[in-house]
Each structure stands twice: as C-alpha cells, then as structure tokens.
Amino acid sequence: MDFTFTEEQQAATEAARAVFSGVAPDGVPSPALVPGVVAEDIDRPLWSGLAAGDLLSLTLLPEHGGAGLDPVALCLVLRESARVLARVPLLETCAVAMALQRYGDAGLAAELLPRVGRGELVLTVGANGRTGHDPAELAVTARRVGPAPSDRLGEVPGEERFAGSGEGPVDSPGNTAGDAGGWVLDGVQSGVPWAQTADWIAVPAHTGVDRAVIALIRPTDDGVTLAEQVSTSGESFSEVRLESVHLDNWALIDAAGAWEWLRSLLTTGTCALASGLGEAVLAMTSAYTGKREQFGFPIATFQSVAVQAADRYIDLRAMEATLWQAAWRISTGADGALPAEADVAVAKIWASEGVRRVVQTAQHLHGGFGADTEYPLHRFHAWAKQIELSLGPAAAHEEALGDLLAAHPLG
C-alpha cells in the first residue's frame, strides 16, 4: 500500500498545524469539574481562523470557493484538530457540505456552500438515531405531502431569490415548476453535536420504502425542538425532536446512496479524530515516562513500561493504516474484493478499541498524575471515551464485517 500524500494534502496538513498551534486543550473548564457543558458555544475565534486559512472550504469545489480536495485531506486536518481537542464542528460541517455538494440541490448548494467556506454557517448532523443503538435513519420518518409552506428559505439573509416560490430553483434536479409538493418529518435524533449553535442540521430519515434520505432543517423551523444534552467530553449536544416539520423538495436529499455515503464519511472522520488524539496521548506518555524517575532511572527504561508503550504504538499504526484505506475507498470509489463498508468497518474496529487502549495505558503509566485535573490527560481520556461511544463496540463492527464476507465470498 502506498499512503504517500499529494502536495495539496500535505499543504493542508501544514496549514492545519499552523491554525491549531495556538489552541490549548485546557482553554475551557474541565468536564470533570462542571455539571453541564464546558462552554455554551463552539470556539468561535478558532472557527474564524479555520475559515481564514481556507480549511473550511478545503473540500468544496472551486465553483463554491473551495480547493476541491478529497476526504483524505479532510481526515488529515481532523487528525491535527484532535491533537489539541479543538472545540469546533469541523467534521460535521465539512461532511454535510460535501454531501450537499455531491448529492443535493444545486441551487441550495450554490447558496449555502460559499458561506460555509467563509465560516458564516455552521452545519451539523444527527447520526445517532433515537438511542445510539438503532440505525439513525429509522428514528425519523419522511412522508411526501402536497404543497408546503413557501416562504421558509426566504427567511435566511442572502437567499431571497427562493422567497415565495414554494419550490427549489427551476433547474433543481427532480424539482420542476409544476412540482410544489414537499415533505413532513416526524421523529427524534439524539446526541446531535452543537445543534444549539448550528444554522442547519442534516437529519437522516426513512420514507417507508427501504430508502434513506437526508433532510436539511434549521433549529428555528416550525415543529423543531431542541433539548440540551451533554457529551462525555462536556460538549453541547442536543436531542432534536421533529413534529410535523414541513420541508420543500429542495431541502431534502433523496439521491440513492447519499445517506450511506455521508454516514461512511462521518465514521471515517471520527476514526481520524481517534488517530490524532491517540498520537497526542502517546506523545504525552513518552514525555512523562522519559522524565519520571524511579530507583534513579527514567521509568521509560523499564521493560514493562517500554513494552506497554510499544503495544500502543502498534495500535496507532494499525489505526492509521486502516483509516487511510477507508478514506481512500470513500475518496476514489475504487472497487475491491469487498464493498467500501468493509474497509470502514475495519477502521472502526481498530479506532474504537485502539483509542481506548491508548488512553488506558497512558493513565496507568502516568499513575495518579494522570487523574490530576490540572494536567490535560484526563481531558483526552474524556474525549477518547466519547469517540469510543460514538463509534460503537468493536464486536458489532466485526459482526457487520462477517456479514459482508458472507455476502461477498473471496476468491
């Protein structure tokens, strides 16, 4: 396997390191010391810095003001963000923007995506369903109805050319001047990150005919209710409840495979976060064990310590290899012996188990110092646990991989 990155991807990594270099993991109160969220909003100065560094537009097409790079480049930037526990919805915003660009209404993409690249809009997505155990698209129903309210998009500054039409743009795919119908959404998505501060929320739904769609809603839409939740890492999540929420056709992405592609991208991006966080934690552990002495020697020279650190290094290399394989399959759409979902499942297995082992070993080798709330390791532990919970147990992914192997015999 050749995981050599292109010059553009390497440049994106360097730009990300420059932007994240000024970010401190302990810039907000410790999640161990506050009963609710660590902060009410995302890191707005950092968000502006990402926009100024063209990192929010990295994966947007040139016609939307972007560089047109692929998910591999996004994962490289996400790894850098996780090293400093960056409190921004970089994954959610970029993933939803890419899905809209790839599958959504062309007119809506032209209106929203340039603003996303400039940092003017925050996007997020509900990918956990009602409980986190069942498929997210089964938590919300989408049913087609007659004419829907016609002035929704006209409420958004800069989008007046849609106002009062009741339809999408004339050239919208599957949406003509005579098609004034819409959709109604009902259901609940739980654990939606930063929904309280998002401008748009992507909500997967099912139509009742074994087809998943993606609805784009706003927190201010009629019938949308947000209830605050708190993540394990202390960040603001929300339960998004939808009761007879009306959407025009252009606000719903019903292209075949759209939700599956977005779900794979979100999962792979989460694996990238796990990889970057694990790298940072292993570096902290190496620095600590190199300085901490017992019996007159650094504990890093003790065989038992060295073996544990070496095992975690192997975990990280496996996490990295499986991450880039999954990102490459999503980026290129390349054929393989198994569908791309198999590569994503393998990446999830290693990321979920690997990030847990890395932080547990780090806590063990740090001793009591690792639990000191004035030392940042416990913050990384909380974020790692949130990532592990988001990815789900490795056993479930192994079962999914087994099903794929059974459906696609090798050789």
Side-chain angles (χ1 to χ4, degrees):
M1 293 180 287
D2 182 8
F3 289 142
T4 303
F5 300 112
T6 66
E7 292 183 4
E8 292 82 2
Q9 291 166 345
Q10 293 173 4
T13 303
E14 293 172 3
R17 286 174 180 167
V19 173
F20 292 123
S21 63
V23 178
D26 54 359
V28 293
S30 165
L33 301 178
V34 294
V37 296
V38 296
E40 295 296 331
D41 198 3
I42 64 175
D43 188 339
R44 291 290 177 176
L46 177 57
W47 193 249
S48 298
L50 290 170
D54 295 328
L55 292 173
L56 296 181
S57 59
L58 190 70
T59 55
L60 300 181
L61 295 174
E63 55 262 38
H64 298 139
L69 298 189
D70 59 10
V72 172
L74 174 60
C75 287
L76 285 167
V77 175
L78 289 170
R79 286 202 341 154
E80 299 302 319
S81 75
R83 294 177 191 272
V84 296
L85 307 183
R87 299 184 51 262
V88 287
L90 180 62
L91 169 59
E92 294 82 5
T93 293
C94 290
V96 173
M98 293 176 72
L100 174 59
Q101 176 176 262
R102 184 183 179 100
Y103 295 103
D105 181 277
L108 184 61
E111 291 286 349
L112 298 186
L113 296 186
R115 299 178 63 195
V116 169
R118 295 193 297 267
E120 298 171 5
L121 295 178
V122 173
L123 312 180
T124 190
V125 56
N128 293 316
R130 183 182 293 269
T131 65
H133 298 290
D134 299 321
E137 64 272 18
L138 299 183
V140 176
T141 61
R143 56 187 176 87
R144 191 183 291 276
V145 294
S150 60
D151 60 347
R152 292 179 64 257
L153 197 53
E155 300 169 4
V156 181
E159 295 172 344
E160 291 81 359
R161 77 183 177 92
F162 289 118
S165 68
E167 307 164 0
V170 174
D171 59 350
S172 298
N175 192 19
T176 63
D179 180 13
W183 298 80
V184 171
L185 305 178
D186 289 281
V188 176
Q189 287 288 345
S190 184
V192 181
W194 286 296
Q196 301 278 5
T197 56
D199 298 287
W200 291 81
I201 304 172
V203 177
H206 70 94
T207 63
V209 290
D210 296 328
R211 186 163 64 95
V213 297
I214 305 172
L216 297 174
I217 65 171
R218 289 171 294 176
T220 56
D221 285 341
D222 291 339
V224 177
T225 305
L226 304 184
E228 185 178 74
Q229 297 175 318
V230 182
S231 73
T232 301
S233 55
E235 300 299 340
S236 175
F237 277 28
S238 292
E239 178 189 80
V240 179
R241 186 173 295 276
L242 310 175
E243 296 182 2
S244 300
V245 177
H246 288 263
L247 289 184
D248 290 310
N249 287 325
W250 43 259
L252 189 132
I253 302 173
D254 61 353
W259 166 240
E260 290 75 13
W261 186 88
L262 175 56
R263 181 177 58 197
S264 293
L265 180 57
L266 289 167
T267 301
T268 304
T270 304
C271 293
L273 294 174
S275 175
L277 186 150
E279 294 277 1
V281 168
L282 188 62
M284 292 172 62
T285 305
S286 175
Y288 176 79
T289 56
K291 295 177 182 178
R292 176 74 165 88
E293 292 189 0
Q294 285 186 354
F295 311 111
F297 297 94
I299 62 174
T301 62
F302 298 169
Q303 186 178 35
S304 62
V305 173
V307 167
Q308 290 182 70
D311 285 343
R312 301 296 78 79
Y313 176 83
I314 293 171
D315 276 336
L316 288 172
R317 296 288 73 78
M319 290 166 63
E320 186 177 14
T322 54
L323 162 65
W324 298 131
Q325 175 68 13
W328 174 74
R329 288 293 300 276
I330 294 173
S331 297
T332 62
D335 292 330
L338 294 174
E341 292 89 338
D343 293 298
V344 174
V346 173
K348 290 168 73 174
I349 291 168
W350 276 102
S352 178
E353 291 285 293
V355 74
R356 176 180 56 80
R357 288 194 291 257
V358 168
V359 295
Q360 285 182 345
T361 297
Q363 290 282 10
H364 175 64
L365 296 182
H366 275 82
F369 197 55
D372 187 347
T373 56
E374 295 184 0
Y375 186 69
L377 180 58
H378 76 287
R379 297 174 182 269
F380 285 87
H381 199 160
W383 277 65
K385 179 55 67 174
Q386 179 62 46
I387 290 173
E388 180 188 355
L389 293 172
S390 176
L391 290 171
H397 312 319
E398 291 166 353
E399 182 178 352
L401 182 60
D403 291 341
L404 287 169
L405 285 167
H408 302 81
L410 302 179

